[in-house]
Amino acid sequence: MGFEQLLNGWNDELLEVEGVFEVILILLLLRLLEESEEESESEIKELLRPWLELGIPLPRVHLVNGDVLQNVIVVKLFDTVAVFKNATNQLRVSVPYANIVSWGAF
């Protein structure tokens, strides 16, 4: 459950069950986690930007689920998603930054 969802679901029953301090602590922790995810996504975006500008194929892009994209070119960088194109068959793939583990030759 995200920070906004929990904040929207704020009610007296939740306060009675969990207590005021516990709810505030949970809200603060969720907000901190949400901010750290946003920072890492923008960091990955900036690290991929030179590959986009140079148009050099990435030998491998490793994803969270274990998949590997091979010989892909960065086509577009959006706020939360990178679009890659396969250098050989022109197939396009959109990948959220949160799903990218690493890229390079290994």
Side-chain angles (χ1 to χ4, degrees):
M1 179 182 296
F3 176 74
E4 294 297 325
Q5 291 173 332
L6 190 56
L7 191 58
N8 290 338
W10 185 277
N11 59 35
D12 292 333
E13 184 180 322
L14 181 64
L15 287 176
E16 290 175 10
V17 172
E18 295 296 329
V20 176
F21 294 117
E22 287 83 1
V23 171
I24 291 172
L25 179 62
I26 291 169
L27 288 172
L28 288 173
L29 289 173
L30 284 172
R31 185 65 186 154
L32 288 172
L33 286 172
E34 201 171 77
E35 286 178 3
S36 67
E37 288 174 5
E38 291 170 1
E39 288 174 6
S40 74
E41 287 178 359
S42 63
E43 185 177 310
I44 291 174
K45 179 180 176 181
E46 291 308 312
L47 290 171
L48 286 172
R49 187 171 306 285
W51 295 93
L52 170 68
E53 292 170 354
L54 295 173
I56 300 171
L58 288 161
R60 291 191 170 108
V61 177
H62 299 272
L63 305 178
V64 171
N65 64 1
D67 289 346
V68 178
L69 304 176
Q70 294 186 338
N71 296 322
V72 292
I73 298 170
V74 181
V75 177
K76 187 78 174 163
L77 297 172
F78 293 103
D79 288 336
T80 59
V81 175
V83 179
F84 298 99
K85 176 176 70 172
N86 190 302
T88 55
N89 63 11
Q90 304 300 315
L91 179 69
R92 288 179 180 242
V93 178
S94 300
V95 180
Y97 299 127
N99 291 348
I100 298 174
V101 176
S102 65
W103 59 88
F106 303 103

